[in-house]
Amino acid sequence: MWWKYLIGLLMTGMIIAVFTLPPPQTVIGDASRIFFFHVPAALLGFLSFAAAAIFGVIYLKNRQPSADRRAAVAAEIGLTATVIATISGAIFAKVTWGAYWNWDPRQTTILGVLLIYAAYFALRQAVADRQARARLSAVYILVGGAIAPFLFFVLPRLYSSLHPKDSLVSGQGQFVLTLPVALTFAASLIAFTLLGLWLFQLADRAERIKEELEIKGDYTRLPRTIPYWP
Amino acid sequence: MPGSKSSWAVKIVAVLVKDLRAEYRTRYAVNAIFLFALTTLAAVSFSLGAGGIPGHYLAVLFWIILFFSALSGLAQSFVKEAETGTAVSLKLNAADDAVFFGKWLFNLILLLGLECFLVPLFLVLLNADVARWPLFLGVVLLGSLGMVSATTLIAAVIATAGVRGALFSVLALPILLPLLVPLVRVTEYCFLADSVAGSDELTVLAAYAVVATVVGWLLFPFVWRD
């Protein structure tokens, strides 16, 4: 439980630090601060997809419904985080390059990643049989996981991109952040990852309860157990 | 003899020959893929009308037509087994690896056959001149290998899922996307004599085909067996 309070502290401290500690960047000004939200969101997206692929392997090994459920939940969080990274990137692109979307290799490939995981959910919806759905979607998330590195790593390096590469390490291989800024960045990476873990836990529990109710045939009672608003 | 290499090849070829014979009798996949390609090409050249188009757009159109034609036909090999109820006897009589690579080869032959017909027609109808034939043939071959490697497993997924039609394109296209950009770039080089050829792209295309084939081969038993 304690680490959930830590998320609150880290997030609050990080947001205050982001807007006070680093000086505005010389060329693009305050827009550079988006870095502290964009990069952790992208990292969370990447980690969630890796987790989804690992749960896919676990499912194919032991055929436990829990592994399939966790793969789906991880992919869901990954998709959300990647959408956040894409949108924050587009805002940054508007400020620095003048347009939200200009088919930079990074933007093209992140769209491909989003499409792969959208297709994963399309497959899950299309297959009615529980076991077949689990098996086929585990296979698909692994194919996606094998192909996604081409999108994440290979293509953006093949074509010249405007995406900043020297925010952390300069072209000479030197670490460019001062210590307080580096600590802020580390705090935001940790805060986003922990937030992802918490979301994962919550969504996993909600899905498990839904499955148990479905199995009991008590699904119709579900609306009454959830308090209506207001 | 399971395990020895020669029997492996024999089993793969047996599955391939069975598929080719079934295809010769029904012309199920061939009709779907060839007619789709022909109508798409006709629609494209109708809409463009006379007049040359720049090499970049030519390359884009070329691969879009080929991608969607492939997506219309490459699922048939597995879907047909599921529809006619022959999948069970195939599972009993052939090893998983033989089925996967037999279907893989069948799809490759189908796609290369389509290209023998589509490429000359495309070049004639759209007034395209290929400046570098060896590079062009190489990139078409590598592109076909990549497409077949990725779609064979997805076709098995579709057939097992019992859902056909649009879902195949939905599942296969995002997986094929990493191919599209390098393919279009290299094909563009082939149409324009003056630009430099990218060997980096060819490496990426070959790596994609290898990765997709290995992943497909490893995951195929999980799709094929319950």
Side-chain angles (χ1 to χ4, degrees), chain B residues 88-108:
Chain B
V88 178
S89 67
L90 192 61
K91 276 177 202 173
L92 284 174
N93 289 303
D96 296 351
D97 304 332
V99 174
F100 180 76
F101 284 108
K103 296 283 187 192
W104 188 94
L105 273 176
F106 174 76
N107 277 344
L108 186 66

Side-chain angles (χ1 to χ4, degrees), chain A residues 119 135 140 143 150 158-159, chain B residues 171 185 201 222-223 225-226:
Chain A
R135 193 158 48 92
Y140 191 76
V143 177
F150 279 93
L158 200 55
Y159 301 110
Chain B
L171 295 186
R185 288 292 172 101
E201 276 96 345
F222 294 106
V223 179
R225 307 270 166 194
D226 288 339

Side-chain angles (χ1 to χ4, degrees), chain B residues 200-225:
Chain B
D200 285 351
E201 276 96 345
L202 295 182
T203 317
V204 169
L205 292 173
Y208 179 95
V210 172
V211 168
T213 306
V214 171
V215 168
W217 170 57
L218 289 176
L219 289 175
F220 180 68
F222 294 106
V223 179
W224 191 234
R225 307 270 166 194

Side-chain angles (χ1 to χ4, degrees), chain B residues 6-27:
Chain B
S6 62
S7 75
W8 249 62
V10 169
K11 281 175 179 169
I12 291 171
V13 171
V15 173
L16 172 67
V17 168
K18 171 207 100 53
D19 268 355
L20 287 174
R21 193 174 291 149
E23 186 57 42
Y24 177 72
R25 287 179 189 153
T26 59
R27 294 187 190 82

Side-chain angles (χ1 to χ4, degrees), chain B residues 31-92:
Chain B
N31 279 343
I33 199 170
F34 275 62
L35 283 177
F36 187 94
L38 191 62
T39 40
T40 318
L41 179 61
V44 165
S45 41
F46 268 145
S47 345
L48 283 171
I53 45 171
H56 178 66
Y57 298 102
L58 223 49
V60 170
L61 287 173
F62 179 77
W63 284 107
I64 294 288
I65 293 174
L66 214 51
F67 261 56
F68 281 91
S69 308
L71 290 179
S72 75
L74 292 186
Q76 304 300 342
S77 59
F78 276 109
V79 169
K80 196 181 63 197
E81 303 278 2
E83 276 177 354
T84 54
T86 49
V88 178
S89 67
L90 192 61
K91 276 177 202 173
L92 284 174

Side-chain angles (χ1 to χ4, degrees), chain A residues 33-54:
Chain A
R33 299 186 203 278
I34 219 165
F35 165 77
F36 294 95
F37 304 95
H38 173 76
V39 178
L43 178 79
L44 178 59
F46 182 77
L47 288 178
S48 310
F49 287 148
I54 290 168

